[in-house]
Structures are given as C-alpha cells and as structure tokens.
Amino acid sequence: MRLGVLDVGSNTVHLLVVDAHPGARPLPAHSHKAELRLAELLDARGAIAPGGVERLVATVRDALHAAEDKGCEEVLPFATSAVREAGNADAVLARVKDETGVDLQVLTGEEEARLTFLAARRWFGWSAGKLLLLDIGGGSLEVAYGIDEDPDAAVSLPLGAGRLTAGWLPGDPPDTEDVKALRRHVRAQIARTVGEFSRFGKPDHVVATSKTFKQLARIAGAPGSGEGLYVERLLTRAALQEWVPRLSAMTGGERAALPGVSEGRAAQLLAGALVAEGAMDLLGVERLEICPWALREGVILRRLDHLPETLSGV
C-alpha cells in the first residue's frame, strides 16, 4: 500500500510518501517539506504565535493535497515537541482539525525515542547487539537503549537545536559567554539521565539519527548524500571537540557554506554540536554511526506491524 507520514516537527512539516507492505522495507516515493521552525515561533507565554498557527494550517493543507496527488491510501499525521509543549497546544490541534480535517496525534517524548529506536533497530538488525540511539531534533534530544525492538530505557530532554538557539544564542556569531552558559546547561541536563543508561552496561553499537547529526558527520568528513544510503557514515567525539570552537566563531552564513549544511539549519548547528558533544562525552561514546532511518520510518514500521491479517496477505 502507499502510505504517507505527516511529521509536524519543531523545524519542518514533512510529508514522506512510501510504498510499503509487511516484511519489506518502505520504499520512498515522494517527499514534501516546508521549514516552519515552530520551536522558534513561540511567544512570551510559550504559545505558538498566530502567524505560526496560520502557516501550520496552510502547510498541513498543502501536504494533504500532495498526499492525494501521489495516491496515498492512508496518511499518518503526528506532531512532536514544538506542538506538544506549546502553551496553546489544544487550540492549535483543534484549529488544524477544523480547517484541514487532520487529527494530529501528539507523540510524547518517550514515544518519539521508542519509535526512532525501532527504526534504527530495523535498519541495523539484530547483529548490532545492544543499541544506544541519539537523536537531536529542533525541540528535543531523544536517547534510547536496548537489545530488542522496544528499548529498555528511553528519555526525551528539552535540548533541541532550534529551541536552544532561540533561547540561548541570540548573537551571530554568538557571544562566547552565551556559548559557555549553554554548554553548562546542556551537560547538566544530560548528566541527570546518564544513570538510566549506564546501569545496562556498554552498548555494542551507538547510532544517531536526525539532520543535525548528519550535518555534523558531513562537516567532519563523512561521505555526502550522493554516495547513497548504504555507505558507512561515522562521527567521532574527537572530531566534534575540534569543530565546536570553530562553529562558535562562525556566523550563520559561514556555517551554511560548509559541506552538507543547509541555509535553514546553519544557525542551529552550533547548539546541535554542543548537545551532540555533551551526550557523547557524558555517555562515554567515542564514535557513532549515522542511521538513515528515524522517527518517520518508525511510525511507518509500527503501522505496518499492526495491519490486519487480511491486508498483510497472511
């Protein structure tokens, strides 16, 4: 069947259309995205501003039209931290449903972590052993650990690259003291959760998803997207430690000129690097591998797992 997954994230609203059936990997057929950066459109009360709500409704409507044009039998709509934590979340969800008919399912942070972990487990397989997953979104950091498809531990922290950039790094380039303050904040937040994972022992494989990690790996020398999905892409803590001060000294425009860094995400890259470095350091990770699949694929895989037997051909 042809499925669409509509991801209302903290940075983008992304419709991914795939051809999928149980027992096979989802094959991407179409991608439709718009950068809204909802995590940066909050007012003083922590609510999504009226202009942001208008843009969200219009973008969801456009995504629905795209899904219809591409022949989707079903669209799986969900929202993550920017909507989940907005002071006016209920009103935003009601407005989207009233004007588009889309009933956005708001995932908890733990659900985000667990579904992303499922995608990584399916990508790397059982041979990866005990898996530690890191994911940096626009609004939150997810960490999950386990040996099965459902992780033994999963947490979500309010350490997304967009959120931190808007709240802590107003300068371009940022002020040195602001960077130091953000570094302390990030590490204090992560340190509170280290014990939840260290009790399970050392992982056999550490992986990371999200645009932030992909861009950090790319500027550190990993192959570009033109090399395909299956080439190994690694990021080391040593490389991050070299890049953080360099990114701190750059303007957003200078970061955008780096290989693999998009103009829309360039301003967030330093905050993302501080989170990545802190997580790797405090969790004792020397290197990790980039996973092409993430939350959207996890949502699709979970839906396929629950197809009725009559539809799955069993």
Side-chain angles (χ1 to χ4, degrees):
M1 63 189 301
R2 176 159 282 194
L3 290 173
V5 58
L6 179 58
D7 175 2
V8 178
S10 298
N11 279 316
T12 62
V13 175
H14 188 175
L15 171 74
L16 177 64
V17 177
V18 299
D19 292 318
H21 64 270
R25 64 187 178 94
L27 295 173
H30 178 70
S31 178
H32 176 94
K33 69 173 67 174
E35 284 200 3
L36 294 189
R37 293 197 281 275
L38 289 176
E40 301 175 23
L41 297 177
L42 304 180
D43 62 22
R45 299 176 296 111
I48 299 175
V53 179
E54 293 284 350
R55 290 169 59 191
L56 174 59
V57 169
T59 303
V60 169
R61 188 181 290 118
D62 289 344
L64 279 184
H65 291 158
E68 181 180 332
D69 288 346
K70 296 302 176 182
C72 289
E73 298 178 48
E74 183 180 354
V75 175
L76 310 172
F78 67 90
T80 55
S81 64
V83 173
R84 179 174 68 238
E85 297 168 15
N88 57 342
D90 291 342
V92 171
L93 294 170
R95 174 87 178 273
V96 170
K97 186 173 182 179
D98 288 345
E99 297 197 24
T100 69
V102 172
D103 187 8
L104 283 174
Q105 301 301 304
V106 180
L107 299 178
T108 67
E110 183 177 331
E111 287 172 334
E112 279 191 63
R114 290 183 178 278
L115 286 166
T116 306
F117 185 89
L118 170 65
R121 170 60 72 194
R122 293 280 177 93
W123 180 268
F124 288 105
W126 298 113
S127 63
K130 292 180 289 185
L131 202 64
L132 175 63
L133 167 87
L134 304 175
D135 179 280
I136 301 171
S140 58
L141 162 71
E142 276 70 52
V143 185
Y145 181 105
I147 196 167
D148 297 317
E149 291 197 337
D150 191 37
D152 297 310
V155 300
S156 179
L157 300 172
L159 297 176
R163 177 202 299 268
L164 297 178
T165 300
W168 293 77
L169 300 177
D172 186 29
D175 182 82
T176 300
E177 292 304 313
D178 289 340
V179 175
K180 290 180 179 178
L182 177 55
R183 184 179 187 275
R184 288 193 298 269
H185 171 72
V186 164
R187 287 173 176 255
Q189 291 281 315
I190 295 171
R192 295 175 185 172
T193 69
V194 168
E196 295 187 40
F197 299 96
S198 60
R199 63 192 177 94
F200 292 107
K202 186 177 180 180
D204 298 307
H205 199 54
V206 183
V207 301
T209 65
S210 75
K211 192 73 170 180
T212 294
F213 270 114
K214 290 176 182 177
Q215 292 184 345
L216 290 172
R218 182 72 182 94
I219 66 173
S225 58
E227 299 297 319
L229 286 178
Y230 302 107
V231 64
E232 185 180 60
R233 294 176 172 88
L234 301 175
L235 175 64
T236 66
R237 178 154 44 113
L240 267 179
Q241 290 171 338
E242 291 180 5
W243 269 101
V244 165
R246 296 170 66 181
L247 293 172
S248 298
M250 292 180 179
T251 64
E254 290 169 335
R255 293 184 208 126
L258 295 171
V261 178
S262 64
E263 184 177 355
R265 300 290 185 97
Q268 302 180 11
L269 192 60
L270 171 59
L274 289 168
V275 175
E277 181 192 31
M280 293 180 74
D281 189 7
L282 291 167
L283 291 167
V285 176
E286 294 298 330
R287 75 170 197 167
L288 53 76
E289 184 172 359
I290 305 300
C291 178
W293 281 2
L295 178 57
R296 286 182 289 274
E297 287 78 12
V299 170
I300 292 167
L301 291 166
R302 180 61 73 221
R303 177 68 184 94
L304 292 175
D305 288 347
H306 289 87
L307 278 178
E309 291 184 353
T310 53
L311 291 181
S312 64
V314 178

